[in-house]
Amino acid sequence: MRTMRKIRFQFIRALLLLSTTACAGEDSAKAKYVFLFVGDGMGSAQVALAEAYKASLEGDSVGFVPTSFSRFPVRADVTTHCAVRRTTESAAAGTAIASGSKAGEAAIGVDVSGKTLRTLAEEARDAGVPVGILTTVPVNHATPAAFYAHVPNRNDYWEIGRQLADSRMSLFAGGDFQEPKGKKGQDKEDSRVLAARKGYKIVRGRDSIAANTTLPAILLGLDPDDAALPWEMDSSDARTPVLADYVAAAIRLLDSPKGFFVMAEAGKIDWAGHANDARANIDEVWGLDSAVKVALEFAAKHPKQTLIVVTADHETGGLSLGSGATGYKTDFGLLRHQKSSRDRLEDLLAPIAASVETAKTAGDTAKVVSQVFARIATETGLGRVPELALAATDSVEILESLRARWGTARAAAKSGYGATGSPAATAIRILNRKAGVGWTTGAHTAIPVPLYAMGVGQEKFAGRLDNTDIPWLVRELAAWRKMRCSP
Ligand SMILES: [Zn+2]
């Protein structure tokens, strides 16, 4: 039985397709300024954990400190399945959110038949509305790419980068380009050189970004070899931009008589989910909140012309607040003792563990072991903080992860760390467990994700949505749709 809502959407879709001639709904309020925030991998649990953690830091061990977007007047649950699987990934989900059609796994901007799908960003661009596509991960990664590129495979980074340079969008921002010279062994023209030749100004670092007045532009992190911005929790260099800086720059550069469309992705929530790293996840969610607050400040000055939507493309990690390990007890505040993301802890522990290669005696080996435990204690609090005392079983787990490495230490040293069994992964797993955080997977899940809306037409987003509904609602509300039909 087709739901009333589905019928309504198909009707709106038909209307909007007709809108070039009929200018439907001309009289209703239209959004001149549209912000679409995507927390990659951000389920409701990720938001709630960030809120509970903040409450714990403020001494409230039972409550939640809401994010700015949790206070939005309108909330919805969004199904995220792609055309071929209930559990999606960022390319197919991004395509659905950007274009309004389901796509196959890993597809960007094309449907299952390979047909190109027009996106919200392209429509805004062609209506003469400035567009900003911002992220904390590579500018040619799945989610940002879904708004400007059309390729059957999300891993074709160089081609996506080439399409970015040809996209005629006003503004991009991210860590950097992934594979700017193509796959290993390829030596294609550098994507940044390509983009510069198409007129894009490449701007790096917080200060230059704040001073930049040029469009079109691509705003990037400090380190050209790091395709993503640093983890919020690891980032100590004040010169490093964060998502909030990108949103502020977009507002400053893109404001125009026709308004603007901004898509801003907090991409590393997903990466923290894959790593089952709750603390890194929490700080990325608060990084998103800071970016949304910049948009809220702008909306406060343009309340009748602005729409802000915050949602996710899928949930990552099967996160739960509470786990079998601690029963009804949770103590998320314990995560404050974690000083480095799991990523950085991997980098800190790898050389220590690898030094076993030079261990000649049992004494040498014991020294390596104690150095590993000492580093884990410094970086996570495990075995250092009274509430994080290591049980014998915990120590054995870490030793096991080391022993597993000893066999392959040489290989590991050469090919790098990161497997779920690494000492770093094990330490973070033990810390999460003691805090009462549960993870069911290192992959994505099919749990419907939250959507928060505020501003022009906010009420249209209430209730139950499918991810393909989101762009059709934005199309219904976007002033630039109207602009297209005025004589
Ligand atoms: Zn993911």
Side-chain angles (χ1 to χ4, degrees), residues 270 274 314 316 444:
D270 171 68
H274 285 294
H314 54 76
T316 300
H444 302 164

Side-chain angles (χ1 to χ4, degrees), residues 40-41 88-90 141 154 267 269-271 273-274 313-317 442-444:
D40 198 312
T88 192
E89 45 70 59
S90 297
H141 211 252
R154 59 179 289 171
I269 298 172
D270 171 68
W271 299 14
H274 285 294
D313 54 353
H314 54 76
E315 194 277 344
T316 300
H444 302 164

